[in-house]
Amino acid sequence: MLQINIHHIPENGLEIDTTIPSAELEINTGDRIKKITPLVCELKASMVEKDLVVRGNTTMVANVACDKCLVEYEEIIESEDICIVKENTPEIVDLTNDIREDILLAFPQLFLCSDDCKGLCYKCGINLNLEKCKCDFESETSSPWDALNNINFDSDK
Ligand SMILES: [Zn+2]
Ligand SMILES: [Zn+2]
């Protein structure tokens, strides 16, 4: 939990260097996300009149499956330039939820082990990043016309 007592914030701000255990973040890991590390937070809290302002960045490492080749790799999830504003805060403020929502937005839509991941062959399932398969895509693309070669035009004779 990431709680701040606003009375403990000095005038020049309060540095918060902490980690939030992954279990507390309640990130739905599902099939694509295998494992996440605790979230490292480097934040600074300050009071602007009656409002709490928290700025900084958070980062974690997620073991994810590449959406193209399904191989597991480490994706660094970073949320930079966080700015959370809490107006008229109570004495104790819990920022866990705000931090959680912020890092969720930092997850990419598509996990790619590399920008030029070749993925799996849709015919034989081989990982094309590692080896070449023998599937013949040339004949595949021309197959609609290949069928014509098999028609026996002499059949009605
Ligand atoms: Zn991949
Ligand atoms: Zn293949």
Side-chain angles (χ1 to χ4, degrees), residues 2 6 8 13 26 31 34-35 44 50 58 72 74-75 80 94 119 121 130 143 150 152 154-155:
L2 183 48
I6 59 167
H8 294 166
E26 290 173 13
D31 288 340
K34 310 287 180 193
K35 200 173 84 185
K44 185 166 184 174
K50 283 188 164 174
T58 62
E72 202 173 312
E74 288 186 348
E75 174 92 35
E80 291 179 309
D94 189 342
C121 168
L130 302 177
S143 67
N150 299 329
N152 186 353
D154 299 329
S155 62

Side-chain angles (χ1 to χ4, degrees), residues 115-149:
D115 286 339
D116 54 358
C117 172
K118 295 187 184 77
L120 303 177
C121 168
Y122 66 90
K123 276 183 149 182
C124 69
I126 250 179
N127 183 345
L128 297 172
N129 298 314
L130 302 177
E131 47 190 321
K132 270 191 166 180
C133 65
K134 295 189 177 68
C135 299
D136 193 352
F137 298 104
E138 302 268 317
S139 68
E140 169 87 351
T141 48
S142 57
S143 67
W145 308 107
D146 290 348
L148 294 178
N149 297 336

Side-chain angles (χ1 to χ4, degrees), residues 8-138:
H8 294 166
I9 300 176
E11 236 171 77
N12 56 350
L14 177 71
E15 307 270 352
I16 308 166
D17 292 322
T18 188
T19 55
I20 303 179
S22 31
E24 282 181 24
L25 291 170
E26 290 173 13
I27 289 172
N28 180 14
T29 47
D31 288 340
R32 298 164 74 231
I33 307 171
K34 310 287 180 193
K35 200 173 84 185
I36 53 172
T37 62
L39 184 67
V40 177
C41 305
E42 291 175 353
L43 305 167
K44 185 166 184 174
S46 42
M47 293 304 290
V48 180
E49 304 200 350
K50 283 188 164 174
D51 303 336
L52 170 68
V53 179
V54 180
R55 289 175 178 276
N57 52 71
T58 62
T59 195
M60 69 158 64
V61 180
N63 283 59
V64 299
C66 172
D67 282 321
K68 273 178 136 180
C69 70
L70 309 178
V71 167
E72 202 173 312
Y73 72 100
E74 288 186 348
E75 174 92 35
I76 295 164
I77 317 280
E78 260 176 314
S79 179
E80 291 179 309
D81 302 322
I82 292 175
C83 182
I84 300 165
V85 180
K86 297 278 186 187
E87 292 176 5
N88 286 311
T89 49
E91 190 180 343
I92 310 261
V93 186
D94 189 342
L95 292 170
T96 315
N97 225 13
D98 300 87
I99 297 290
R100 176 183 176 271
E101 279 172 19
D102 204 89
I103 197 69
L104 279 178
L105 291 175
F107 274 80
Q109 292 285 312
L110 201 64
F111 294 132
L112 286 180
C113 62
S114 75
D115 286 339
D116 54 358
C117 172
K118 295 187 184 77
L120 303 177
C121 168
Y122 66 90
K123 276 183 149 182
C124 69
I126 250 179
N127 183 345
L128 297 172
N129 298 314
L130 302 177
E131 47 190 321
K132 270 191 166 180
C133 65
K134 295 189 177 68
C135 299
D136 193 352
F137 298 104
E138 302 268 317

